[in-house]
Amino acid sequence: MTTMLTGDGSCQQIPALGDSWAHVPTHRVILYWRDECRHAVLYKSPSVRQADVCFQITGDGVRDVAAAADMLTK
């Protein structure tokens, strides 16, 4: 996705490769915040069922919240 500026000064998100490519990706991941936690939803995949995970970004990279909590207790 990319942001397109319109003539009235507003902006909207559009597919980066144009409308003809909008449905070509085989995997879609939706990122959002809920309950003070980052979530990633595997929304579309030809080989894996839909899943929702909570994650955090640390100095070591992207980590599962449970795994990061385990590392803090060690």
Side-chain angles (χ1 to χ4, degrees):
M1 299 298 286
T2 189
T3 302
M4 179 181 77
L5 299 174
T6 60
D8 63 0
S10 63
C11 59
Q12 66 183 39
Q13 286 192 334
I14 60 170
L17 298 174
D19 290 333
S20 62
W21 285 83
H23 299 286
V24 172
T26 57
H27 293 79
R28 290 186 185 179
V29 177
I30 299 171
L31 305 174
Y32 66 96
W33 280 90
R34 183 178 66 207
D35 302 327
E36 298 183 18
C37 183
R38 289 178 172 102
H39 287 262
V41 177
L42 179 61
Y43 182 71
K44 177 185 176 187
S45 171
S47 58
V48 181
R49 64 186 173 125
Q50 183 172 330
D52 186 337
V53 296
C54 191
F55 70 96
Q56 62 184 352
I57 300 173
T58 68
D60 295 325
V62 178
R63 298 288 181 252
D64 179 29
V65 170
D70 290 343
M71 289 175 62
L72 291 175
T73 58
K74 292 182 181 179

